[in-house]
Amino acid sequence: MQHDKVLILDFGSQYTQLIARRVRELNIYSEIHPFNKIPEDLASYKSVILSGSPNSVRGEDALHPNLDGIRGVKPMLAVCYGAQYLAHFSGGNVAPSDTREYGRANLSFIKNDEEFFANINEGSQVWMSHSDTIKELPTNGVLIASTKDVTNAAYRIEGEATYAIQFHPEVYHSTDGKQLLENFLVKIAGVNQDWTPDSFVEETVEAIQEKVGNDKVVLGLSGGVDSTVAAVLLNKAIGKNLYCIFVNNGLLRKNEFQSVLNQYEGMGLNVKGVDASERFLAALAGLEDPELKRKAIGKTFIEVFDDEAHKLTDVKWLAQGTIYPDVIESVSATGGPSATIKSHHNVGGLPDFMKLKIVEPLRAIFKDEVRRVGATLGIDPELLGRHPFPGPGLGIRILGDITAEKVRILQEVDAIFINGLKEWGLYDKVWQAGAMLLPVNSVGVMGDERTYEKCVALRAVESTDGMTADWVNLPYEFLQKTSNEIINKVKGVNRVVYDISSKPPATIEWE
């Protein structure tokens, strides 16, 4: 790619992905690399950002980046841990904070002639998240901003284009954070703002054509946003040489298999639908442990996908809807395997025996960028706005063992809930929603009869990336109507509850 690039060095902060996304929102391309795996060739990077970290610069486990070729050479912004690192190891002093420095704060002093704070006024709200504080600035450090409790909230190094801040401009609660990043990257570092969805589509299509040539490519569609955008990009690049397979694992939403096939047909994609629902249900029979269910679903998908791929001749490439978080989450800040590795859609971890080369057209972009690229490609906004849906589908929303009857019950409940959200204009205000079928029966009364039937839990959360999530305060009237409709229309259910736990400590899915 012929774009100015920003290198973000990750020290393990929970906010590192947010830094990259905020930079991308400025139409600037950014990449995240672990602090100890800095690219050897730094020529293509116009600027560098150091992230925060859960570690302390005063501890024995302090993380030490090799800043040779960066500091004093390229414009650098050090955030939180980065700011403390520069101070502590360059003639300053970092010590435990006398007061708690978490949450909202306001800039009470700004050096107004600093380009770094252009269009940012005193009183601007910032977000703090640290237990250590900078007591003394590093050699040649110049104070440029403070808050009520943090004297050295921001500084720069005299004679270098090096800036450091104790707060996090990348989080939503830093109200001028995007402006500050733009000031540093555009005004100070001179980075060009030329990273756009249109340029991504053009460059990716050219790259696919050069990489794949006239070879055939097979893609496993999930019906979700990522695999769909990947399919349209590939179709734009190689047309009839793309073969898409959409597998019904029997754990999709109600009528989803046929409706998704119809939608794809209208998009001009070459898609084959495979109904393997009975095969999946047989593989799941008697399994209750969530991990065993996930493994059974994954294994069966591989078998079905492999069977169908072998029916095609001369296929050399496997396409996947891998996106950038899948790539960077697979390596931790210390270079080891991450504990949060996830399969890519339904095609994660295909075995070597398939002998296919991999093409991943979306591996450089985030979820919100995938949607913007999809809009550029003319994909239906309703499809692009679909809520995330787990790869194992309803298999992890049915707690305990899975049967065809339980799938039927949950499909009916889910349809009422999701359709209701759309009818009430709530769907687009929710990041993800679904229903869980609980492994408990409860006593009820219907008419003059005693019932002993299933309980279902409804779940709706708001989030930006799924890493954290808050439950959505849905209107009581909506919940009342939905509960009544589920109990009256879905045979086998006599109780509905609403999940009001956030992530963390809970997770979005129940399994």
Side-chain angles (χ1 to χ4, degrees):
M1 295 177 296
Q2 301 303 312
H3 296 279
D4 287 349
K5 297 194 295 185
V6 173
L7 173 63
I8 299 169
L9 296 184
D10 180 24
F11 293 87
S13 169
Q14 62 178 318
Y15 300 138
T16 302
Q17 282 194 36
L18 284 179
I19 298 175
R21 286 170 53 202
R22 292 293 175 264
V23 172
R24 300 277 187 96
E25 287 173 5
L26 295 170
N27 293 330
I28 294 173
Y29 183 72
S30 61
E31 288 180 355
I32 296 173
H33 291 266
F35 77 96
N36 57 354
K37 292 190 176 182
I38 299 173
E40 292 183 8
D41 183 7
L42 294 171
S44 63
Y45 297 99
K46 200 76 179 283
S47 179
V48 178
I49 298 176
L50 309 184
S51 84
S53 174
N55 296 66
S56 169
V57 297
R58 300 180 302 103
E60 293 182 2
D61 59 349
L63 308 178
H64 294 276
N66 179 4
L67 298 178
D68 294 345
I70 295 177
R71 183 172 173 184
V73 178
K74 295 181 181 293
M76 183 172 70
L77 174 62
V79 177
C80 199
Y81 179 90
Q84 293 176 358
Y85 183 86
L86 293 182
H88 189 65
F89 293 103
S90 300
N93 179 34
V94 174
S97 176
D98 296 329
T99 59
R100 291 177 60 85
E101 296 179 356
Y102 293 95
R104 295 173 177 84
N106 298 90
L107 296 176
S108 56
F109 158 76
I110 293 177
K111 197 171 182 184
N112 292 323
D113 59 347
E114 289 287 342
E115 203 168 26
F116 189 69
F117 285 111
N119 300 313
I120 300 174
N121 298 318
E122 288 191 15
S124 177
Q125 180 177 284
V126 296
W127 185 260
M128 295 286 187
S129 182
H130 54 93
S131 56
D132 291 341
T133 196
I134 299 170
K135 295 291 189 179
E136 296 178 22
L137 295 178
T139 303
N140 296 326
V142 177
L143 178 66
I144 56 175
S146 304
T147 68
K148 178 176 176 292
D149 295 319
V150 182
T151 301
N152 297 312
Y155 65 89
R156 63 175 174 83
I157 304 295
E158 194 71 52
E160 302 176 16
T162 298
Y163 291 76
I165 52 178
Q166 276 282 262
F167 53 90
H168 290 269
E170 68 272 21
V171 304
Y172 171 79
H173 301 292
S174 289
T175 52
D176 292 312
K178 187 175 179 179
Q179 179 66 59
L180 185 143
L181 288 171
E182 183 173 8
N183 290 343
F184 171 72
L185 293 171
V186 179
K187 294 179 181 296
I188 295 171
V191 183
N192 289 319
Q193 295 174 279
D194 57 0
W195 170 253
T196 65
D198 286 333
S199 66
F200 175 81
V201 170
E202 181 181 345
E203 292 164 8
T204 303
V205 167
E206 290 179 3
I208 293 169
Q209 290 170 339
E210 183 176 342
K211 183 175 186 177
V212 173
N214 292 319
D215 293 345
K216 294 179 180 177
V217 178
V218 63
L219 167 67
L221 285 171
S222 69
V225 175
D226 299 338
S227 66
T228 300
V229 173
V232 175
L233 262 176
L234 284 157
N235 187 57
K236 186 177 179 67
I238 62 174
K240 59 179 175 36
N241 281 342
L242 174 65
Y243 296 83
C244 302
I245 298 172
F246 179 39
V247 177
N248 180 10
N249 60 10
L251 303 166
L252 302 174
R253 288 181 154 139
K254 183 179 180 181
N255 300 325
E256 186 173 29
F257 181 55
Q258 193 56 52
S259 66
V260 169
L261 280 177
N262 293 342
Q263 195 166 29
Y264 283 143
E265 188 175 318
M267 296 166 64
L269 296 175
N270 178 19
V271 182
K272 179 180 181 180
V274 180
D275 188 353
S277 52
E278 292 185 5
R279 187 168 172 178
F280 278 86
L281 288 173
L284 287 164
L287 297 181
E288 296 186 6
D289 180 84
E291 189 59 25
L292 292 179
K293 289 194 292 184
R294 286 179 181 272
K295 288 180 178 178
I297 293 168
K299 180 175 182 292
T300 306
F301 181 86
I302 290 171
E303 292 170 353
V304 172
F305 189 84
D306 190 43
D307 289 347
E308 294 301 321
H310 273 95
K311 294 176 183 178
L312 302 171
T313 57
D314 300 324
V315 172
K316 296 182 180 179
W317 295 85
L318 168 71
Q320 295 191 126
T322 309
I323 61 176
Y324 196 40
D326 298 326
V327 177
I328 57 181
E329 286 175 5
S330 65
V331 179
S332 71
T334 54
S338 170
T340 56
I341 295 175
K342 304 170 187 174
S343 297
H344 306 305
H345 306 287
N346 295 328
V347 194
L350 288 175
D352 292 339
F353 67 75
M354 293 193 73
K355 306 299 182 186
L356 297 174
K357 294 180 285 186
I358 301 294
V359 56
E360 297 170 316
L362 305 179
R363 67 177 283 118
I365 61 178
F366 289 97
K367 187 73 151 187
D368 48 348
E369 292 177 303
V370 173
R371 290 192 166 96
R372 289 199 290 273
V373 168
T376 295
L377 290 167
I379 297 175
D380 187 339
E382 185 174 342
L383 194 155
L384 293 176
R386 287 189 64 185
H387 290 176
F389 189 64
L394 300 181
I396 58 169
R397 292 183 176 178
I398 298 172
L399 279 63
D401 69 317
I402 297 172
T403 65
E405 175 62 9
K406 289 181 179 179
V407 172
R408 179 200 67 80
I409 290 174
L410 190 54
Q411 284 178 332
E412 296 291 340
V413 171
D414 179 85
I416 291 172
F417 184 33
I418 298 300
N419 290 336
L421 288 171
K422 292 178 179 178
E423 291 169 6
W424 281 60
L426 298 168
Y427 185 84
D428 292 335
K429 299 177 182 178
V430 172
W431 189 76
Q432 184 172 349
M436 320 294 162
L437 183 63
L438 308 186
V440 294
N441 284 25
S442 67
V443 174
V445 178
M446 291 184 176
D448 294 326
E449 295 183 6
R450 174 186 182 274
T451 61
Y452 192 58
E453 295 180 333
K454 295 293 181 186
C455 174
V456 294
L458 306 182
R459 181 90 159 121
V461 299
E462 55 186 4
S463 179
T464 55
D465 50 24
M467 297 176 71
T468 61
D470 288 326
W471 61 280
V472 178
N473 190 3
L474 295 175
Y476 286 133
E477 296 81 3
F478 168 77
L479 291 173
Q480 180 184 48
K481 182 178 184 300
T482 302
S483 174
N484 287 342
E485 191 172 352
I486 289 171
I487 292 171
N488 288 331
K489 293 184 177 180
V490 183
K491 186 178 180 181
V493 176
N494 70 354
R495 191 176 298 270
V496 177
V497 298
Y498 186 54
D499 183 349
I500 58 169
S501 50
S502 297
K503 176 186 179 181
T507 54
I508 295 176
E509 300 294 341
W510 280 40
E511 288 193 338

